[in-house]
């Protein structure tokens, strides 16, 4: 039973909280409700709609995760780094990706795409689904160890200076809403990708970026209105075609965004 698995993680010192099948938190305050108190955990998991176990990452749990998304059965970055990661704890995810689990590196926060393409870091301010409790394979069942220094360095490098790009919002149309620090990193990454997309890649880039942002909105890292406004202004700023063509591109954005919201990224 899920409660037994949750309590087993608690016995190992990991705070837990319940999540729905779409990976979104089943508690009012999300990962902030995570606990190692067995009585509180039993109470939270009495919600029979919760089918997954969430674990906050970072200082609160003592673990960080290198989250590798795998499309079409492989990830180019992972292919290049698989040997150096072979000795670390690793879980498969439901989507076929990989979670490498490390001891928390002091000060490390969530980041998206800094370490590599489709490679995210879950640390302070984030959470993961503990996929082994949902029947996914534990690829390497070893204790958590320290991060390889080169990955921490990559994850903490300074963000790219976005001032060279066209602003995401014009002064007459300020963005509304809010986002966590991690959410803002995601927004900056994907609006920059849209603005700078080559002509022949614009449709695919808009769809993929909107999908990614929608998935982060679904787990509460970015306000819905903030995300939609940011994506819309990015599309408008990249565009130099006809009004009709731009409207079609905006429809592509909305389709990708809505699909992403139905598939939370955790």
């Amino acid at each position: 039973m899920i409660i037994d698995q949750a309590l087993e993680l608690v016995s190992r010192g990991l705070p837990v909280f319940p999540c729905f099948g779409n990976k979104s938190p089943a508690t009012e305050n999300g990962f902030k409700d995570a606990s190692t108190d067995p009585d509180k955990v039993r109470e939270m998991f009495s919600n029979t709609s919760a089918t997954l176990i969430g674990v906050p990452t970072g200082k609160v749990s003592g673990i960080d995760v290198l989250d590798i998304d795998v499309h079409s059965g492989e990830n180019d970055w992972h292919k290049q780094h698989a040997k150096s990661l072979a000795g670390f704890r690793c879980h498969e995810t439901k989507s076929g990706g990989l979670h490498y689990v490390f001891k928390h590196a002091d000060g490390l926060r969530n980041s998206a795409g800094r370490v590599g393409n489709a490679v995210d870091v879950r640390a302070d301010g984030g959470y993961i689904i503990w996929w082994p409790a949902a029947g996914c394979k534990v690829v390497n069942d070893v204790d958590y160890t320290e991060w390889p220094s080169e990955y921490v360095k990559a994850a903490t490098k300074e963000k790219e200076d976005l001032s060279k790009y066209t602003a995401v919002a014009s002064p007459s149309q300020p963005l509304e809403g809010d986002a966590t620090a991690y959410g803002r990193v995601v927004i900056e990454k994907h609006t920059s990708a849209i603005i700078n997309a080559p002509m022949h890649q614009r449709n695919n880039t808009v769809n993929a970026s909107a999908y990614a942002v929608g998935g982060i909105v679904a787990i509460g890292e970015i306000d819905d209105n903030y995300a939609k406004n940011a994506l819309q202004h990015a599309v408008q700023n990249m565009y130099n075609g006809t009004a009709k063509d731009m409207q079609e591109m905006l429809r592509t954005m909305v389709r990708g965004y809505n699909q992403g919201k139905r598939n939370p990224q955790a």
Side-chain angles (χ1 to χ4, degrees):
M1 293 179 61
I2 187 171
I3 181 59
D4 295 327
Q5 294 169 316
L7 289 171
E8 195 275 329
L9 291 175
V10 165
S11 73
R12 290 155 55 180
L14 291 175
V16 297
F17 65 101
C19 292
F20 296 119
N22 65 0
K23 301 186 288 188
S24 63
T27 63
E28 183 177 355
N29 299 304
F31 67 84
K32 295 179 181 179
D33 286 324
S35 177
T36 55
D37 181 321
D39 290 336
K40 184 175 179 181
V41 169
R42 289 189 184 93
E43 180 182 354
M44 286 192 293
F45 281 87
S46 66
N47 181 348
T48 57
S49 298
T51 58
L52 297 172
I53 299 173
V55 175
T57 48
K59 185 177 181 179
V60 66
S61 63
I63 64 168
D64 300 327
V65 168
L66 189 66
D67 182 3
I68 299 178
D69 195 10
V70 177
H71 298 288
S72 303
E74 62 182 31
N75 175 294
D76 289 340
W77 183 91
H78 185 250
K79 284 169 63 178
Q80 296 171 13
H81 294 264
K83 274 190 177 180
S84 64
L85 288 166
F88 299 101
R89 185 177 183 90
C90 182
H91 305 163
E92 283 189 356
T93 70
K94 184 179 178 181
S95 64
L98 296 169
H99 281 175
Y100 285 93
V101 188
F102 302 97
K103 290 182 178 179
H104 175 55
D106 189 41
L108 188 64
R109 295 193 57 79
N110 285 344
S111 65
R114 289 190 185 181
V115 175
N117 185 39
V119 179
D120 297 340
V121 169
R122 307 290 185 181
D124 281 339
Y127 74 93
I128 59 162
I129 299 299
W130 194 264
W131 287 113
C136 294
K137 180 180 179 182
V138 177
V139 179
N140 197 13
D141 190 5
V142 297
D143 290 338
Y144 324 128
T145 54
E146 304 290 340
W147 279 86
S149 59
E150 64 267 30
Y151 301 146
V152 174
K153 184 177 179 181
T156 54
K157 67 185 177 184
E158 290 297 316
K159 291 187 292 184
E160 182 180 8
D161 180 7
L162 301 177
S163 62
K164 62 185 178 183
Y165 301 135
T166 305
V168 172
S170 65
S172 60
Q173 294 177 302
L175 294 181
E176 299 176 356
D178 203 3
T180 65
Y182 173 59
R184 290 184 186 279
V185 169
V186 174
I187 282 284
E188 289 172 358
K189 172 187 173 182
H190 289 291
T191 53
S192 295
I194 290 171
I195 290 168
N196 295 280
M199 182 73 71
H200 65 287
Q201 294 180 4
R202 284 182 171 179
N203 191 75
N204 287 341
T205 300
V206 168
N207 181 67
S209 291
Y211 179 92
V213 170
I216 301 301
V217 168
I219 63 171
E221 297 283 353
I222 312 173
D223 176 80
D224 184 56
N225 286 332
Y226 177 89
K228 287 187 290 190
N229 284 344
L231 290 169
Q232 179 177 333
H233 287 303
V235 169
Q236 291 171 336
N237 284 334
M238 84 164 188
Y239 219 80
N240 56 10
T242 66
K244 181 180 178 181
D245 289 341
M246 187 176 74
Q247 288 304 313
E248 179 57 37
M249 194 66 73
L250 289 171
R251 283 192 286 271
T252 295
M253 180 205 84
V254 171
R255 285 193 295 269
Y257 179 76
N258 288 339
Q259 186 176 7
K261 284 182 68 178
R262 292 191 292 271
N263 293 275
Q265 302 297 302

